[in-house]
Amino acid sequence: MNVLPFVIIIPLLGVFSLPLVGLVGKKAREAWALLISGATLGVTSKLLYNVWSTKETLVYTLGAKSPMGQGVGFPVRIVWEVDLLSAIMAFTIAFVAFLAVAYSIEYMRHDTGLEKYYVLILVLELGMLGIVLTGDIFNFYVFLEIMSIASYALVAFRNDTWEGIEAGIKYMFVGSLASSFILLGIALLYGQYGTLTMAYLAEKMAANFTLTAKIALAFLIGGLLFKSGAVPVHMWLADAHPAAPSSISAMLSGLVIKAGGVYVIARIAFSVFGMAVNLRTLGWVIIFFACLTLIVGNAMAVVQTDMKRLLAFSSVGQIGYILLGLGIGLAAYGTKVGEIATAGAIYHTVNHAIMKALLFMVAGAVLHELGTKDLNELSGLAKTMPKTTFAFIVGAAAIIGLPPLNGFASKWLLYESSALFNPFLGAIAIIGTAFCTAAYIRVLYTFLGRPSERVMKAKEPGMAMLLPMFILVGAIILMGLFPWQISKGVMIPAASMLANIKGYVLAVMGGV
Amino acid sequence: MFGYWDALYFVYVFIIGLIIAYLLMKWAERASSGTRREGEGAKIFLSGEDQDRVIPDFEHFRGYFTGRHVMWGLIRGINRMFIAFRREHTGLLGDYVSYLLITIALVLGALIIWG
Amino acid sequence: MSDMGLIVKTTARATIPLIGIFGSYIVAHGHLTPGGGFQGGATIAGAGILFLLAFGLNEMRKHYNHHVYSSLEGLGGLAFLGVSMLGFSVAFFYNKLWHSGPFFNGKPGTLLSAGYLPIMNLAVGLKVFTGLVSAMAAIALYRRWRE
């Protein structure tokens, strides 16, 4: 049985049936959201296992057996195309989204309008899953908009504070503009080549690469850099991610900027434009923005006093690492260094999704218990919330890249490949980590310092919030124990499958 | 793995760094005056503001590690950079849009010239 | 929000059914003529919005039930998903009704053709109508400024 369509069908069923299930009662609604996201997690893990064990690109055609049109030799239908990178992303998305739903059962208990909340969180998950599965560039745009609109609404969900509304409005205006640029790029490509299937587009582009296609690529890359929160277009991120409810921040920071930004940049740069554009130039463009992102994102995290804003800036910095790996993978395409860098970027994407989800959940637990996220008032939290502080220490150590945890392996691959590619880039990466360390040590000092009066009244959050946090802690430690096995067994094959552009094209075109 | 770096070197460097940091700390502790490890108003010697001094509007934080105390040295050291970065984060919608346009223009220029 | 006076209300009484019929026509002929579920649903929702504007919020409250509309919206989505699952033995979104019946497989260009498309148009029309009316009702209900 082909599990691929169920990755979309199950969340879609959940979204549409949630208003009906919600009529039964509050508990039923929560259980249904949990069940749907859990089922999605199961299906994506099966999908990951299938793709990983066969190492073949899965192609699924909507509406017919074969993507080819009747009597013509090119694909006309919408295809979903899944290689190992897509499957890894889909699994990460489903995993973090499941935990975010579980976390929000307790975290959002005191809020109203929860039927909309659970519908939107599932729509967000659906949009991201669609983006990573699709092999059709307009289908990708549709899913991108599904994801973006759900995240605009979720950022402004706490509409009793003006912070949320302001951030949501700003995010919506500028995000729509970036989406329009992406749409313009897609329209230019369609006008030039007359097809929307990514694989066929790649083939036509390799034969005839025009100026229009270059302009289209620039619009796509610009819009997607915005969506992934690269400097200098990261400012919406620092507004939007702290303003959202923490379970949503975990998904926005952990998943949305990667599925809707970095993943798509990788897919478009490698699989669509890989055979046509000068990959060295494209790689250096991405490396340029990655270096800016590394320095500015991590440095801005140092001077924040709002805990969630600090985490959001740290997300910007970590996106810099992922973009750096991707850029080196493009600039050094075809070499061992490039492969290692791409593998490091993919590995760091997964690791950062887990770590940042954990850190935002910790911030949410603090916010839930104390009602503040101002670091100046959180001194000495370790006395009254030891379990939460432990989770934070694990997450912070992992994001800095301390050896026994998962962040070490991915950052190591990135340092190593950037130092081999160009020592200057390696130095920049290390400087970024220095700032990152400074930012997190600051939070840790505050947590471990002498308790202030306000903190003494705090208590640990309930089991429903602690459990998702400790599952993530377990995942971090477990992934940290087998770094090179994961790297060799999953990430390097994913990188080489991504770099195998011809394989991606032939999976749809079928050896024509 | 591959290449000339090895994870073991990282551990060596880390241990040497720890030793150097410890020696530095011992030296600084002896050299500086008025370091107090415990008691009321403990004073850290390298990073941290003087706990005895009362900061206007922050009287109630005296003696606690607050967010502004830690990393004081780093933030003061490269203050100019942080000021420049913070000035750019205006929070105005027009700035966000202009940065988006600048980014797209940069990418467009690079790709048209060298693509 | 109060009502808008006798002239507007009388005109609205006359036009609301016509707008509704026109919207239904667009939905039903979605697979034959320009327009479809979304456009027709939005037109029908225009009738609902005209009702809200002409007769005021208090009158609207009597005829509008949030739970009913929200459930109908969900039903529309579920119908869409269910129809797209009909031909799942071949592929998701496979148009089984068009290829092998038993209904909606008439000659192309007639009303009862195009397989699942008429059903999907109806489902989308229902979803868009209920969704837009709910959105307008919510905007009217939860505004923060005073009368």
Side-chain angles (χ1 to χ4, degrees):
Chain A
M1 186 79 192
N2 195 349
V3 294
L4 180 50
F6 287 102
V7 178
I8 297 296
I9 290 171
I10 291 173
L12 210 55
L13 175 74
V15 168
F16 290 146
S17 55
L18 205 59
L20 296 173
V21 175
L23 291 178
V24 179
K26 210 171 162 223
K27 281 261 174 2
R29 189 163 60 212
E30 288 161 359
W32 185 245
L34 202 61
L35 183 74
I36 290 292
S37 49
T40 316
L41 176 62
V43 169
T44 47
S45 57
K46 181 82 172 66
L47 178 70
L48 175 62
Y49 178 74
N50 282 357
V51 177
W52 176 75
S53 56
T54 57
K55 300 273 192 303
E56 273 171 14
T57 308
L58 285 181
V59 177
Y60 189 84
T61 312
L62 292 184
K65 277 201 172 65
S66 147
M68 300 295 163
Q70 280 174 351
V72 287
F74 52 84
V76 295
R77 299 183 189 281
I78 293 174
V79 291
W80 287 342
E81 198 167 1
V82 179
D83 67 354
L84 193 49
L85 171 61
S86 311
I88 291 170
M89 289 298 298
F91 178 71
T92 316
I93 289 164
F95 179 63
V96 175
F98 173 65
L99 292 178
V101 170
Y103 178 85
S104 49
I105 288 175
E106 185 180 337
Y107 181 70
M108 301 295 288
R109 183 170 288 161
H110 307 295
D111 287 70
T112 53
L114 282 180
E115 74 267 26
K116 294 163 201 92
Y117 174 82
Y118 284 111
V119 167
L120 283 170
I121 202 168
L122 287 177
V123 168
L124 189 63
E125 184 184 1
L126 169 80
M128 289 187 289
L129 286 171
I131 288 173
V132 299
L133 293 189
T134 190
D136 183 280
I137 202 160
F138 192 76
N139 200 228
F140 143 69
Y141 177 74
V142 171
F143 279 121
L144 182 81
E145 280 297 274
I146 290 175
M147 180 197 85
S148 303
I149 289 171
S151 52
Y152 305 150
L154 281 170
V155 164
F157 187 76
R158 288 264 165 87
N159 57 9
D160 51 334
T161 60
W162 286 105
E163 187 195 3
I165 294 177
E166 188 194 336
I169 290 273
K170 280 186 197 166
Y171 181 21
M172 187 175 76
F173 277 126
V174 201
S176 312
L177 191 63
S179 296
S180 323
F181 274 112
I182 295 171
L183 183 62
L184 183 56
I186 293 170
L188 287 176
L189 283 180
Y190 187 51
Q192 183 74 40
Y193 295 107
T195 179
L196 290 167
T197 311
M198 286 188 193
Y200 189 51
L201 206 55
E203 197 181 79
K204 291 201 89 164
M205 222 178 282
N208 174 25
F209 190 53
T210 59
L211 183 66
T212 314
K214 277 183 199 170
I215 296 171
L217 175 63
F219 285 156
L220 283 170
I221 295 284
L224 290 170
L225 279 176
F226 174 90
K227 293 273 172 191
S228 55
V231 174
V233 277
H234 65 291
M235 289 151 181
W236 63 270
L237 196 156
D239 293 340
H241 289 194
S246 291
S247 46
I248 299 304
S249 307
M251 280 181 80
L252 288 176
S253 247
L255 304 172
V256 168
I257 52 177
K258 303 192 183 75
V262 179
Y263 166 81
V264 190
I265 292 180
R267 180 60 72 212
I268 283 187
F270 278 104
S271 303
V272 181
F273 283 84
M275 290 193 286
V277 76
N278 183 350
L279 279 180
R280 218 180 151 70
T281 310
L282 185 57
W284 273 103
V285 167
I286 290 176
I287 288 172
F288 171 72
F289 285 106
C291 291
L292 275 183
T293 310
L294 264 179
I295 302 285
V296 176
N298 283 319
M300 280 302 289
V302 178
V303 288
Q304 301 304 320
T305 51
D306 181 325
M307 188 174 170
K308 284 180 78 176
R309 202 171 159 85
L310 186 149
L311 294 177
F313 270 114
S314 165
S315 280
V316 175
Q318 303 299 318
I319 282 293
Y321 286 106
I322 300 169
L323 284 176
L324 182 69
L326 191 63
I328 294 173
L330 284 167
Y333 177 72
T335 63
K336 185 82 182 155
V337 175
E339 192 180 22
I340 298 280
T342 318
I346 298 169
Y347 201 175
H348 202 60
T349 310
V350 176
N351 284 344
H352 182 243
I354 294 171
M355 298 182 295
K356 198 41 72 70
L358 170 64
L359 289 172
F360 266 116
M361 284 180 184
V362 169
V366 172
L367 187 59
H368 189 252
E369 298 303 324
L370 279 162
T372 180
K373 49 186 178 162
D374 190 342
L375 282 177
N376 286 330
E377 298 176 21
L378 293 177
S379 173
L381 203 67
K383 284 268 190 330
T384 45
M385 297 172 79
K387 289 175 193 157
T388 315
T389 311
F390 171 73
F392 186 84
I393 290 174
V394 172
I399 209 165
I400 292 165
L402 284 186
L405 301 168
N406 67 351
F408 168 68
S410 53
K411 279 202 170 180
W412 187 256
L413 290 178
L414 289 171
Y415 296 148
E416 197 173 353
S417 54
S418 54
L420 284 175
F421 179 69
N422 188 336
F424 183 64
L425 295 179
I428 287 182
I430 302 273
I431 291 173
T433 303
F435 280 128
C436 179
T437 316
Y440 281 101
I441 284 192
R442 219 173 131 233
V443 183
L444 277 184
Y445 248 89
T446 311
F447 274 19
L448 299 174
R450 183 136 37 113
S452 64
E453 283 151 33
R454 179 162 195 173
V455 164
M456 290 310 278
K457 283 175 288 191
K459 57 181 195 310
E460 289 280 352
M463 210 52 210
M465 276 163 85
L466 279 179
L467 199 65
M469 273 151 58
F470 275 87
I471 291 175
L472 286 171
V473 167
I476 285 176
I477 293 172
L478 199 70
M479 283 180 76
L481 291 179
F482 308 101
W484 307 131
Q485 284 86 338
I486 293 174
S487 159
K488 278 225 176 60
V490 185
M491 302 302 166
I492 302 256
S496 58
M497 266 180 100
L498 180 65
N500 181 7
I501 302 166
K502 286 220 167 55
Y504 189 82
V505 173
L506 287 183
V508 170
M509 305 299 294
V512 180
Chain B
M1 287 305 291
F2 84 116
Y4 49 86
W5 288 13
D6 192 60
L8 209 55
Y9 288 120
F10 180 87
V11 178
Y12 293 153
V13 169
F14 188 69
I15 290 169
I16 293 169
L18 271 185
I19 292 168
I20 292 175
Y22 182 75
L23 291 177
L24 260 178
M25 189 183 87
K26 281 281 151 207
W27 169 76
E29 217 170 22
R30 203 173 313 130
S32 75
S33 56
T35 299
R36 288 194 301 282
R37 277 189 170 277
E38 51 211 25
E40 273 304 306
K43 185 178 170 189
I44 350 163
F45 57 92
L46 273 181
S47 62
E49 291 172 33
D50 193 341
Q51 301 284 330
D52 300 336
R53 216 183 79 220
V54 179
I55 311 160
D57 300 331
F58 284 90
E59 289 88 356
H60 54 296
F61 289 135
R62 260 214 302 168
Y64 301 121
F65 286 113
T66 64
R68 10 185 304 138
H69 286 154
V70 190
M71 290 299 150
W72 177 85
L74 178 72
I75 295 172
R76 288 294 156 90
I78 37 177
N79 202 13
R80 279 163 172 282
M81 188 184 91
F82 284 119
I83 287 175
F85 283 170
R86 292 186 89 145
R87 202 163 39 211
E88 287 307 306
H89 289 76
T90 49
L92 297 177
L93 202 57
D95 289 7
Y96 294 11
V97 174
S98 26
Y99 273 121
L100 176 63
L101 296 180
I102 289 170
T103 308
I104 290 175
L106 279 177
V107 178
L108 190 61
L111 281 177
I112 285 181
I113 297 170
W114 295 293
Chain C
M1 199 193 285
S2 55
D3 57 17
M4 290 182 78
L6 189 62
I7 299 174
V8 177
K9 276 202 280 192
T10 314
T11 322
R13 262 196 206 102
T15 46
I16 283 173
L18 295 178
I19 296 174
I21 290 169
F22 182 63
S24 315
Y25 159 76
I26 294 179
V27 172
H29 287 244
H31 53 297
L32 302 175
T33 54
F38 183 86
Q39 291 81 350
T43 314
I44 306 175
I49 293 163
L50 178 59
F51 180 84
L52 171 65
L53 291 177
F55 291 88
L57 187 59
N58 290 331
E59 193 66 25
M60 184 76 175
R61 275 217 187 95
K62 288 178 200 152
H63 295 91
Y64 171 80
N65 182 337
H66 173 69
H67 290 297
V68 170
Y69 273 70
S70 153
S71 313
L72 279 178
E73 194 182 349
L75 267 184
L78 282 179
F80 185 90
L81 185 66
V83 172
S84 65
M85 292 279 283
L86 274 181
F88 198 71
S89 55
V90 179
F92 190 35
F93 275 103
Y94 179 70
N95 199 340
K96 194 180 175 75
L97 287 178
W98 167 243
H99 286 280
S100 51
F103 45 84
F104 287 132
N105 56 348
K107 194 166 144 294
T110 58
L111 192 60
L112 295 178
S113 65
Y116 59 26
L117 286 183
I119 310 175
M120 279 186 173
N121 277 328
L122 284 175
V124 172
L126 181 66
K127 195 168 165 54
V128 170
F129 161 64
T130 49
L132 279 180
V133 169
S134 299
M136 278 308 289
I139 288 172
L141 268 172
Y142 297 114
R143 72 217 161 99
R144 291 185 181 181
W145 63 90
R146 297 213 139 154
E147 296 261 325

